[in-house]
Amino acid sequence: MLIKKIALLGAAAAALVSTGANAATQTATAEVDIIAAVTLTQDQGLDFGVVASSAAAGTVTLPTGSNTRTCTAAVTCVGTANRGQFTVSNAASGYVVGITVPASTTLDDAGAGVAMNLTLTPSITSFTSTGASQVFFVGGTLSVGASQAAGTYTGTYNVSADYQ
């Protein structure tokens, strides 16, 4: 009797084990579309021109919409200024391209004076490509210190354009 029960339990356990008779296999596909990488060029550097400081701090603002800067009463602006100009090329039509510009950078004159803060503003932060080149501008506001030391102040910032 015991042997009969063991045989029945063995048969029940064997029935629970998968034999693979009901397994199915499907061949799947994979695909990718490669689009050209965008190209970004700087056509014109951001240049606030010539600025004379005074005993008070002030600002110089260069908008993205024109090369006409605004100077507060504490600083005097002389000559011309240029907003930064960039061109995005080779973007595939119909795709959104994001533009990234840092919020700020500093300009210094290699240690002779106190560095100045420059807040940056791009004219666009993204666009949908038509396949044609897209031009955009970078402007900003430069904070000039009270009695800012004379010199040529320079700085850098990274601009990027990439598919979103």
mmCIF file with all atom_site columns, all heavy atoms in Angstrom, residues 79-97:
data_model
loop_
_atom_site.group_PDB
_atom_site.id
_atom_site.type_symbol
_atom_site.label_atom_id
_atom_site.label_alt_id
_atom_site.label_comp_id
_atom_site.label_asym_id
_atom_site.label_entity_id
_atom_site.label_seq_id
_atom_site.pdbx_PDB_ins_code
_atom_site.Cartn_x
_atom_site.Cartn_y
_atom_site.Cartn_z
_atom_site.occupancy
_atom_site.B_iso_or_equiv
_atom_site.pdbx_formal_charge
_atom_site.auth_seq_id
_atom_site.auth_comp_id
_atom_site.auth_asym_id
_atom_site.auth_atom_id
_atom_site.pdbx_PDB_model_num
ATOM 1   N N   . GLY A 1 79 ? 31.390 103.416 -28.096 1.00 0.00 ? 79 GLY A N   1
ATOM 2   C CA  . GLY A 1 79 ? 31.583 102.541 -29.263 1.00 0.00 ? 79 GLY A CA  1
ATOM 3   C C   . GLY A 1 79 ? 30.459 101.544 -29.455 1.00 0.00 ? 79 GLY A C   1
ATOM 4   O O   . GLY A 1 79 ? 29.337 101.747 -29.014 1.00 0.00 ? 79 GLY A O   1
ATOM 5   N N   . THR A 1 80 ? 30.792 100.449 -30.104 1.00 0.00 ? 80 THR A N   1
ATOM 6   C CA  . THR A 1 80 ? 29.787 99.453  -30.465 1.00 0.00 ? 80 THR A CA  1
ATOM 7   C C   . THR A 1 80 ? 29.899 98.202  -29.613 1.00 0.00 ? 80 THR A C   1
ATOM 8   O O   . THR A 1 80 ? 30.938 97.934  -29.006 1.00 0.00 ? 80 THR A O   1
ATOM 9   C CB  . THR A 1 80 ? 29.935 99.047  -31.948 1.00 0.00 ? 80 THR A CB  1
ATOM 10  O OG1 . THR A 1 80 ? 31.233 98.489  -32.133 1.00 0.00 ? 80 THR A OG1 1
ATOM 11  C CG2 . THR A 1 80 ? 29.752 100.238 -32.870 1.00 0.00 ? 80 THR A CG2 1
ATOM 12  N N   . ALA A 1 81 ? 28.820 97.454  -29.599 1.00 0.00 ? 81 ALA A N   1
ATOM 13  C CA  . ALA A 1 81 ? 28.755 96.181  -28.886 1.00 0.00 ? 81 ALA A CA  1
ATOM 14  C C   . ALA A 1 81 ? 28.161 95.156  -29.834 1.00 0.00 ? 81 ALA A C   1
ATOM 15  O O   . ALA A 1 81 ? 27.498 95.502  -30.811 1.00 0.00 ? 81 ALA A O   1
ATOM 16  C CB  . ALA A 1 81 ? 27.892 96.327  -27.639 1.00 0.00 ? 81 ALA A CB  1
ATOM 17  N N   . ASN A 1 82 ? 28.398 93.883  -29.554 1.00 0.00 ? 82 ASN A N   1
ATOM 18  C CA  . ASN A 1 82 ? 27.848 92.803  -30.371 1.00 0.00 ? 82 ASN A CA  1
ATOM 19  C C   . ASN A 1 82 ? 27.325 91.695  -29.480 1.00 0.00 ? 82 ASN A C   1
ATOM 20  O O   . ASN A 1 82 ? 28.059 91.198  -28.614 1.00 0.00 ? 82 ASN A O   1
ATOM 21  C CB  . ASN A 1 82 ? 28.919 92.199  -31.292 1.00 0.00 ? 82 ASN A CB  1
ATOM 22  C CG  . ASN A 1 82 ? 29.334 93.145  -32.380 1.00 0.00 ? 82 ASN A CG  1
ATOM 23  O OD1 . ASN A 1 82 ? 28.504 93.620  -33.153 1.00 0.00 ? 82 ASN A OD1 1
ATOM 24  N ND2 . ASN A 1 82 ? 30.618 93.433  -32.444 1.00 0.00 ? 82 ASN A ND2 1
ATOM 25  N N   . ARG A 1 83 ? 26.086 91.306  -29.719 1.00 0.00 ? 83 ARG A N   1
ATOM 26  C CA  . ARG A 1 83 ? 25.541 90.124  -29.046 1.00 0.00 ? 83 ARG A CA  1
ATOM 27  C C   . ARG A 1 83 ? 26.200 88.894  -29.660 1.00 0.00 ? 83 ARG A C   1
ATOM 28  O O   . ARG A 1 83 ? 26.677 88.925  -30.808 1.00 0.00 ? 83 ARG A O   1
ATOM 29  C CB  . ARG A 1 83 ? 24.022 90.076  -29.201 1.00 0.00 ? 83 ARG A CB  1
ATOM 30  C CG  . ARG A 1 83 ? 23.603 90.008  -30.650 1.00 0.00 ? 83 ARG A CG  1
ATOM 31  C CD  . ARG A 1 83 ? 22.177 90.455  -30.872 1.00 0.00 ? 83 ARG A CD  1
ATOM 32  N NE  . ARG A 1 83 ? 22.008 90.698  -32.299 1.00 0.00 ? 83 ARG A NE  1
ATOM 33  C CZ  . ARG A 1 83 ? 20.907 90.533  -32.968 1.00 0.00 ? 83 ARG A CZ  1
ATOM 34  N NH1 . ARG A 1 83 ? 19.818 90.153  -32.338 1.00 0.00 ? 83 ARG A NH1 1
ATOM 35  N NH2 . ARG A 1 83 ? 20.849 90.757  -34.246 1.00 0.00 ? 83 ARG A NH2 1
ATOM 36  N N   . GLY A 1 84 ? 26.270 87.819  -28.924 1.00 0.00 ? 84 GLY A N   1
ATOM 37  C CA  . GLY A 1 84 ? 26.815 86.579  -29.466 1.00 0.00 ? 84 GLY A CA  1
ATOM 38  C C   . GLY A 1 84 ? 25.865 86.008  -30.502 1.00 0.00 ? 84 GLY A C   1
ATOM 39  O O   . GLY A 1 84 ? 24.644 86.046  -30.327 1.00 0.00 ? 84 GLY A O   1
ATOM 40  N N   . GLN A 1 85 ? 26.412 85.485  -31.597 1.00 0.00 ? 85 GLN A N   1
ATOM 41  C CA  . GLN A 1 85 ? 25.586 84.893  -32.644 1.00 0.00 ? 85 GLN A CA  1
ATOM 42  C C   . GLN A 1 85 ? 26.080 83.487  -32.952 1.00 0.00 ? 85 GLN A C   1
ATOM 43  O O   . GLN A 1 85 ? 27.285 83.270  -33.118 1.00 0.00 ? 85 GLN A O   1
ATOM 44  C CB  . GLN A 1 85 ? 25.622 85.736  -33.916 1.00 0.00 ? 85 GLN A CB  1
ATOM 45  C CG  . GLN A 1 85 ? 24.779 85.164  -35.039 1.00 0.00 ? 85 GLN A CG  1
ATOM 46  C CD  . GLN A 1 85 ? 24.779 86.036  -36.281 1.00 0.00 ? 85 GLN A CD  1
ATOM 47  O OE1 . GLN A 1 85 ? 24.821 87.247  -36.204 1.00 0.00 ? 85 GLN A OE1 1
ATOM 48  N NE2 . GLN A 1 85 ? 24.733 85.398  -37.438 1.00 0.00 ? 85 GLN A NE2 1
ATOM 49  N N   . PHE A 1 86 ? 25.141 82.546  -33.043 1.00 0.00 ? 86 PHE A N   1
ATOM 50  C CA  . PHE A 1 86 ? 25.446 81.145  -33.286 1.00 0.00 ? 86 PHE A CA  1
ATOM 51  C C   . PHE A 1 86 ? 24.548 80.600  -34.387 1.00 0.00 ? 86 PHE A C   1
ATOM 52  O O   . PHE A 1 86 ? 23.431 81.069  -34.570 1.00 0.00 ? 86 PHE A O   1
ATOM 53  C CB  . PHE A 1 86 ? 25.231 80.317  -32.008 1.00 0.00 ? 86 PHE A CB  1
ATOM 54  C CG  . PHE A 1 86 ? 26.110 80.736  -30.874 1.00 0.00 ? 86 PHE A CG  1
ATOM 55  C CD1 . PHE A 1 86 ? 25.767 81.787  -30.047 1.00 0.00 ? 86 PHE A CD1 1
ATOM 56  C CD2 . PHE A 1 86 ? 27.312 80.081  -30.641 1.00 0.00 ? 86 PHE A CD2 1
ATOM 57  C CE1 . PHE A 1 86 ? 26.582 82.186  -29.005 1.00 0.00 ? 86 PHE A CE1 1
ATOM 58  C CE2 . PHE A 1 86 ? 28.137 80.470  -29.601 1.00 0.00 ? 86 PHE A CE2 1
ATOM 59  C CZ  . PHE A 1 86 ? 27.773 81.525  -28.784 1.00 0.00 ? 86 PHE A CZ  1
ATOM 60  N N   . THR A 1 87 ? 25.037 79.582  -35.100 1.00 0.00 ? 87 THR A N   1
ATOM 61  C CA  . THR A 1 87 ? 24.246 78.924  -36.134 1.00 0.00 ? 87 THR A CA  1
ATOM 62  C C   . THR A 1 87 ? 24.243 77.420  -35.885 1.00 0.00 ? 87 THR A C   1
ATOM 63  O O   . THR A 1 87 ? 25.299 76.808  -35.697 1.00 0.00 ? 87 THR A O   1
ATOM 64  C CB  . THR A 1 87 ? 24.810 79.201  -37.541 1.00 0.00 ? 87 THR A CB  1
ATOM 65  O OG1 . THR A 1 87 ? 24.787 80.615  -37.779 1.00 0.00 ? 87 THR A OG1 1
ATOM 66  C CG2 . THR A 1 87 ? 23.987 78.502  -38.620 1.00 0.00 ? 87 THR A CG2 1
ATOM 67  N N   . VAL A 1 88 ? 23.032 76.843  -35.884 1.00 0.00 ? 88 VAL A N   1
ATOM 68  C CA  . VAL A 1 88 ? 22.857 75.394  -35.801 1.00 0.00 ? 88 VAL A CA  1
ATOM 69  C C   . VAL A 1 88 ? 22.588 74.903  -37.219 1.00 0.00 ? 88 VAL A C   1
ATOM 70  O O   . VAL A 1 88 ? 21.681 75.402  -37.887 1.00 0.00 ? 88 VAL A O   1
ATOM 71  C CB  . VAL A 1 88 ? 21.685 75.012  -34.884 1.00 0.00 ? 88 VAL A CB  1
ATOM 72  C CG1 . VAL A 1 88 ? 21.493 73.493  -34.867 1.00 0.00 ? 88 VAL A CG1 1
ATOM 73  C CG2 . VAL A 1 88 ? 21.896 75.543  -33.483 1.00 0.00 ? 88 VAL A CG2 1
ATOM 74  N N   . SER A 1 89 ? 23.370 73.944  -37.674 1.00 0.00 ? 89 SER A N   1
ATOM 75  C CA  . SER A 1 89 ? 23.221 73.371  -39.018 1.00 0.00 ? 89 SER A CA  1
ATOM 76  C C   . SER A 1 89 ? 23.067 71.863  -38.925 1.00 0.00 ? 89 SER A C   1
ATOM 77  O O   . SER A 1 89 ? 23.386 71.255  -37.904 1.00 0.00 ? 89 SER A O   1
ATOM 78  C CB  . SER A 1 89 ? 24.454 73.685  -39.868 1.00 0.00 ? 89 SER A CB  1
ATOM 79  O OG  . SER A 1 89 ? 24.702 75.059  -39.908 1.00 0.00 ? 89 SER A OG  1
ATOM 80  N N   . ASN A 1 90 ? 22.620 71.263  -40.025 1.00 0.00 ? 90 ASN A N   1
ATOM 81  C CA  . ASN A 1 90 ? 22.525 69.811  -40.200 1.00 0.00 ? 90 ASN A CA  1
ATOM 82  C C   . ASN A 1 90 ? 21.479 69.128  -39.321 1.00 0.00 ? 90 ASN A C   1
ATOM 83  O O   . ASN A 1 90 ? 21.487 67.906  -39.222 1.00 0.00 ? 90 ASN A O   1
ATOM 84  C CB  . ASN A 1 90 ? 23.877 69.121  -39.987 1.00 0.00 ? 90 ASN A CB  1
ATOM 85  C CG  . ASN A 1 90 ? 24.905 69.586  -40.982 1.00 0.00 ? 90 ASN A CG  1
ATOM 86  O OD1 . ASN A 1 90 ? 24.578 69.911  -42.118 1.00 0.00 ? 90 ASN A OD1 1
ATOM 87  N ND2 . ASN A 1 90 ? 26.151 69.631  -40.562 1.00 0.00 ? 90 ASN A ND2 1
ATOM 88  N N   . ALA A 1 91 ? 20.595 69.885  -38.681 1.00 0.00 ? 91 ALA A N   1
ATOM 89  C CA  . ALA A 1 91 ? 19.554 69.247  -37.871 1.00 0.00 ? 91 ALA A CA  1
ATOM 90  C C   . ALA A 1 91 ? 18.505 68.638  -38.793 1.00 0.00 ? 91 ALA A C   1
ATOM 91  O O   . ALA A 1 91 ? 18.070 69.266  -39.758 1.00 0.00 ? 91 ALA A O   1
ATOM 92  C CB  . ALA A 1 91 ? 18.914 70.262  -36.930 1.00 0.00 ? 91 ALA A CB  1
ATOM 93  N N   . ALA A 1 92 ? 18.115 67.419  -38.502 1.00 0.00 ? 92 ALA A N   1
ATOM 94  C CA  . ALA A 1 92 ? 17.121 66.714  -39.314 1.00 0.00 ? 92 ALA A CA  1
ATOM 95  C C   . ALA A 1 92 ? 15.756 67.383  -39.185 1.00 0.00 ? 92 ALA A C   1
ATOM 96  O O   . ALA A 1 92 ? 15.347 67.778  -38.089 1.00 0.00 ? 92 ALA A O   1
ATOM 97  C CB  . ALA A 1 92 ? 17.038 65.256  -38.891 1.00 0.00 ? 92 ALA A CB  1
ATOM 98  N N   . SER A 1 93 ? 15.074 67.520  -40.293 1.00 0.00 ? 93 SER A N   1
ATOM 99  C CA  . SER A 1 93 ? 13.772 68.182  -40.341 1.00 0.00 ? 93 SER A CA  1
ATOM 100 C C   . SER A 1 93 ? 12.747 67.452  -39.471 1.00 0.00 ? 93 SER A C   1
ATOM 101 O O   . SER A 1 93 ? 12.674 66.225  -39.473 1.00 0.00 ? 93 SER A O   1
ATOM 102 C CB  . SER A 1 93 ? 13.281 68.236  -41.789 1.00 0.00 ? 93 SER A CB  1
ATOM 103 O OG  . SER A 1 93 ? 12.048 68.917  -41.865 1.00 0.00 ? 93 SER A OG  1
ATOM 104 N N   . GLY A 1 94 ? 11.975 68.249  -38.726 1.00 0.00 ? 94 GLY A N   1
ATOM 105 C CA  . GLY A 1 94 ? 10.916 67.704  -37.892 1.00 0.00 ? 94 GLY A CA  1
ATOM 106 C C   . GLY A 1 94 ? 11.328 67.365  -36.476 1.00 0.00 ? 94 GLY A C   1
ATOM 107 O O   . GLY A 1 94 ? 10.479 67.028  -35.650 1.00 0.00 ? 94 GLY A O   1
ATOM 108 N N   . TYR A 1 95 ? 12.598 67.456  -36.169 1.00 0.00 ? 95 TYR A N   1
ATOM 109 C CA  . TYR A 1 95 ? 13.079 67.130  -34.837 1.00 0.00 ? 95 TYR A CA  1
ATOM 110 C C   . TYR A 1 95 ? 13.302 68.404  -34.019 1.00 0.00 ? 95 TYR A C   1
ATOM 111 O O   . TYR A 1 95 ? 13.694 69.439  -34.549 1.00 0.00 ? 95 TYR A O   1
ATOM 112 C CB  . TYR A 1 95 ? 14.390 66.332  -34.894 1.00 0.00 ? 95 TYR A CB  1
ATOM 113 C CG  . TYR A 1 95 ? 14.184 64.931  -35.394 1.00 0.00 ? 95 TYR A CG  1
ATOM 114 C CD1 . TYR A 1 95 ? 14.220 64.643  -36.759 1.00 0.00 ? 95 TYR A CD1 1
ATOM 115 C CD2 . TYR A 1 95 ? 13.933 63.897  -34.510 1.00 0.00 ? 95 TYR A CD2 1
ATOM 116 C CE1 . TYR A 1 95 ? 14.017 63.351  -37.215 1.00 0.00 ? 95 TYR A CE1 1
ATOM 117 C CE2 . TYR A 1 95 ? 13.722 62.604  -34.961 1.00 0.00 ? 95 TYR A CE2 1
ATOM 118 C CZ  . TYR A 1 95 ? 13.770 62.344  -36.318 1.00 0.00 ? 95 TYR A CZ  1
ATOM 119 O OH  . TYR A 1 95 ? 13.564 61.072  -36.761 1.00 0.00 ? 95 TYR A OH  1
ATOM 120 N N   . VAL A 1 96 ? 13.068 68.308  -32.705 1.00 0.00 ? 96 VAL A N   1
ATOM 121 C CA  . VAL A 1 96 ? 13.290 69.437  -31.803 1.00 0.00 ? 96 VAL A CA  1
ATOM 122 C C   . VAL A 1 96 ? 14.756 69.453  -31.384 1.00 0.00 ? 96 VAL A C   1
ATOM 123 O O   . VAL A 1 96 ? 15.311 68.419  -31.000 1.00 0.00 ? 96 VAL A O   1
ATOM 124 C CB  . VAL A 1 96 ? 12.382 69.344  -30.561 1.00 0.00 ? 96 VAL A CB  1
ATOM 125 C CG1 . VAL A 1 96 ? 12.707 70.447  -29.556 1.00 0.00 ? 96 VAL A CG1 1
ATOM 126 C CG2 . VAL A 1 96 ? 10.916 69.412  -30.970 1.00 0.00 ? 96 VAL A CG2 1
ATOM 127 N N   . VAL A 1 97 ? 15.363 70.634  -31.470 1.00 0.00 ? 97 VAL A N   1
ATOM 128 C CA  . VAL A 1 97 ? 16.752 70.824  -31.050 1.00 0.00 ? 97 VAL A CA  1
ATOM 129 C C   . VAL A 1 97 ? 16.744 71.768  -29.847 1.00 0.00 ? 97 VAL A C   1
ATOM 130 O O   . VAL A 1 97 ? 16.151 72.852  -29.905 1.00 0.00 ? 97 VAL A O   1
ATOM 131 C CB  . VAL A 1 97 ? 17.604 71.426  -32.195 1.00 0.00 ? 97 VAL A CB  1
ATOM 132 C CG1 . VAL A 1 97 ? 19.024 71.703  -31.718 1.00 0.00 ? 97 VAL A CG1 1
ATOM 133 C CG2 . VAL A 1 97 ? 17.611 70.492  -33.393 1.00 0.00 ? 97 VAL A CG2 1
#
